[in-house]
Amino acid sequence: MNEVSVLIGGKAGDGINSAGAMVAQLLNHMGYRIYLYFDYPSLIRGGHNFAIIRGAEQEIGTCRDRVDFVLALNQETLDRHRSRWNAETAVLFNADLVKGQGHGIPIREILTAENAPEIMGNSAIIGGFAKAAGIDWEMVTAVFTSHIPKGVEMNLKVARRAYDLLEPVHPVSRCDSLPVPLLTGNEAIGLGMIRGGLEAYVSYPMTPSSSLLHFLAEQKDRFGIQVVHPENEIAVVLMGLGFACAGKRAAVGTSGGGFCLMTEGVSFAGMAELPLVFLVSQRTGPSTGLPTYTGQSDLRLVLHAGQGEFPRLIVAPGNVQEAVYWSEVAMNLAWKFQVPAFILADKTFSEGTYSTGPDAFADVPSEELPRWDNGAPYRRYADSPSGISPLAFPGMKDAVVKVNSYFHDEAGITSEEGPVVSAMTEKRLRKWQGLRAEMDRYSPVNVSGTAGAPATILCWGSTKGVCTEVAGALGLRVVQPVVLAPSPQDQIRKALDGPGRIICVEENVTGQLAELAQQHGIAVDTKILKYDGRPFTREELEGKIREVLA
Amino acid sequence: MTPRTLITDAQNTWCPGCGNFTIQHTLKNILADREKEGKSLDDVVLVSGIGCHAKIADYLNINSVYTLHGRTIPVATGIKLANPNLTVICCCGDGDCYAEGLDHLVFAAKRNIDLTLIVHNNRVYGLTTGQYTPTSPLGFRGKSTPLGTAEYPFNPIELMLASGATYIARGYTRKMDPLKKLIAGGIAHHGFSFIDVLQICATFFPAADYYGPRVYDLAGHDTGDFEASCHVAREWDYNTDARIALGLLYRRQAPTFEEKMQPRPVAANERQEAITALLKSRT
C-alpha cells in the first residue's frame, strides 16, 4: 500500500502551517488521502512549529512516528525530531540556517536571484520537496496556481530553482484517486452548521475553537451569515440566545475556559427552552493548561454544565464526515427540541486537516419545527404530550412571546407555585425522553472492524482515526459513540455485547467515557490513557494495545 | 383595532411606594401612545435582567425576555442583530448592569447598538434585601457592609460619555412627565440610548428627601456639546452633596452596530452552491 509522511518544521512565524498545507495539496493531487497534524506552542514568534503531512491510499486520521521526508527550516527541526528520521529519510533543509546531512537548499541565494521577498522562502523548500518526491513540475504549477492567493508567478520561479537543484530521492507513487477537498475539522463543523441553517456565529477567540471563528468571518458573505466577536464568552452565549429568541439559528464556539464562563447561559437555555449550538473544542486542561495542545478531559464538564436538570444533546464527531453530518443534526435537533446542543471536539480534530470525500455530505433526516398556528393567545411554554411547545417570535402578529429564566407558567409568566414547577419540570423531562427516542432515527454509535474479535476498542472523538487504524492492523473491533447525551446506552451495550475484552482509549487521565459507560452498567476491562497534550500516534497506540493483549 | 390590555394578570409584588411603579406606568403610557399612533406593539421587545426591576417583564403584556442577572444587554443585542425591525427596550437594575453586567454596558455604548436602556437605579440591591451597589454612596450601611462601604460610587453618566453612548439622560421617578419624555426620546433615538433613572427604593433606600431639594431640570444646555455635557455630568458624583441635573445630557447621531452587521441575503439554494464553490477552492 502506498503511503508517505512528511515533516516540515521551523520557528513560529515561518509559515509552517501554510507550507504544510501546500505539501498536503501536492500529495492530494498525487491521489493520496491526507491527514495533517499541526503542532505549535502558544506564542507568535520563535518557538518550534511543525506539521506532519501523511498521505495514504485509504482515509486516515492519525500520524505515524516515522517520516519519509523532513523539510527543516531551522536546526531545531532536525535535532528535536531525531527519532522520526534515519539514513533512509530524505532530509531537505534551509542551507542558510541548518547544518545537516542531506539536501541543503540555498534559500537566500535563490530569493536574491529572483529578487523575491523573504516570505517566499518556503516555496523553495516546497519546490525541493516536489523534486525529491518525483512530482511532475506540471502538478506543482497547478497546485501553486490554485492555492497561492497572490504572487503565483514569483513563487513558482523560486520553487523552480530549488526543483532544478535536486534529483528525485524517494519518488512517491501516484495513487488512483482523484484529488478531494481538504478541510480542517473546524471547517467541516462550520459547513455542517451552515447546512443546518446557521444564520449567526458568535464567538470570542480561544484556541482551538478560533479557527472556526476565522473561517466563518472570512466566508460570511459567501454564506450570508452574521459573525460577531463580543466582549467575552458570557456575552457570546447570551447574544446567541438573543438570536434564538428572535427566531434566528445561531451557534457559538469556545474551549474549556470560555465554556466555564458560558455555563450560566447553558442553564438559561435549558430553563427558557432556547435552541443554541455550541462548539466546545477541548485543549489540555485544567485552567489555561496547554492552549495549543489536545485533550479529551471536558466530557464530564459538558455533560453536566449548568445548574439544574434539563435535556441536552452532545455529539463528538470522529472524522470530517461525522462533523458535517452531526453539526447539521445538532442544529436541527436543538431547534426541534428547543434545547442546547454541543459539538464536542478537540485540538487534534479542530485543527487537523483531512481529506473530505463526496460521501462527507450525506443527507440528514429532515426534522419538522413545531410552529405556532396563529391561534391566539400564544403561550410560549404551552404543554404537550411531547413537552415541545410551538414556536413564535417577537414581531409575529398578535403573538405575545414571553421568555423566562425563572420557573414560569405556560404563558411564560413567573410562577413559584409547586404544581406549576412540577409540571414544567416534567415537560422538560418529556423532551429529554423524546430526544432519546429520536436517536432511533440516527446511528448514534459507530461500530467497525472484525466481528467476533478478541477485543473491542471503545473510543470517542478524534481518537477514532488512530483507533480504527490500529484495530484494522490487529483485527479488533471499534465502538465509537458519536452521541454522548442523551447517552445511547442501549446501542453501546448492544455493540459491546460479546465475549471479547473492552479496551477504552481516551486522551485524559480519569477515563471519562469509561466512567460514563460504567454508570450505564458497562464495565471496561482496560483503559489506555494519554494526557501529555499530544495525540496518540499509530505506533504508540498499537504498542500499548499489543501489551494489553499479550 | 382594540387597544391591547397592557398590564398582565400577574400579581404585582413591588413594595408600596416603589419607584418601579412609576417606570412601569411610564412605559405603559408610551406603549399606549405608540398604539394610538397606529404602530403595532408586536414589534416591541422588553428585555429585563434579574432584580426587583425585572418583574416588569411579567407585568407588561408585551414580548419579553426575562434574562439573567446582568445580562439584559447581550440578549437584547442578539435580538436586535437578528431582527433590526424590532424595538428593543432593556430594563435593568444598578446592581444588574453596573456590577454584574458592567462590561456589556460599556460595549453596548461603544457599539452604538440601537437599544433603549432604562436603569432602575435605586442604588441598592432590593430583591436580595439590602446590599450596596456601584452607585451607593461611600459609607453606605448594607447587610454586606454593616460598618459602611469602603469604596466610592462611580458616576454612570460619565462612564457612558467616555464609552461612546449617543443618547444619555437622567430621570427621576418622582418626576413622571419628564421621565416619559426622556424614555420616549430614547426609543425614538436611532442608536444606543441610556437613561439612568434615580428610583426610590421604599424599603432599603428611601432617598426622596435627599433628591427632592437637589434635583433640577436642565435648561439651555447644548446636548451636542460633549465638553458641556461632561461638565454637567460631573456636577454630582453620586456621592458628594451637589445639585442633580435631570434631563437629556448628551445626544449625537452615529451609524448603528446592527446596520453595519447585517448579513448579505443568500437564498437556500445559493448556500449549497456556495459550499460547492468553497470545496472546489480547497481541492
Side-chain angles (χ1 to χ4, degrees), chain A residues 477-508:
Chain A
R477 244 166 25 118
V478 178
V479 172
Q480 172 227 357
V482 184
V483 177
L484 295 165
S487 173
Q489 58 215 46
D490 296 340
Q491 290 94 334
I492 298 179
R493 200 176 289 112
K494 194 170 153 223
L496 290 174
D497 192 29
R501 63 198 300 171
I502 300 169
I503 304 169
C504 191
V505 174
E506 299 186 62
E507 288 173 349
N508 58 48

Side-chain angles (χ1 to χ4, degrees), chain A residues 25 147 182 187 194 198 221 224-226 231-232 234 239 248 264 395 397-399 401-403 405 414, chain B residues 42 57-58 60 62-64 66-67 71 74-75 79 81-82 103-104 111 261 264 271 277-278 281-283:
Chain A
Q25 281 297 351
H147 294 284
L182 303 185
E187 287 170 341
I194 285 163
L198 182 77
D221 287 340
I225 57 172
Q226 293 184 69
E231 56 272 27
N232 55 36
I234 296 174
M239 271 189 205
K248 290 278 170 80
E264 66 170 38
K397 194 172 177 314
D398 298 331
V401 183
K402 296 191 95 65
V403 176
S405 73
T414 305
Chain B
D42 293 335
D58 281 339
L60 283 175
I62 54 174
N63 296 313
S64 62
Y66 204 148
T67 70
R71 310 303 174 209
V75 173
I79 292 171
L81 286 173
D103 38 4
H104 311 308
R111 294 182 183 118
M261 294 294 284
R264 186 178 79 87
R271 258 190 179 204
L278 179 101
S281 75
R282 299 296 164 89
T283 307

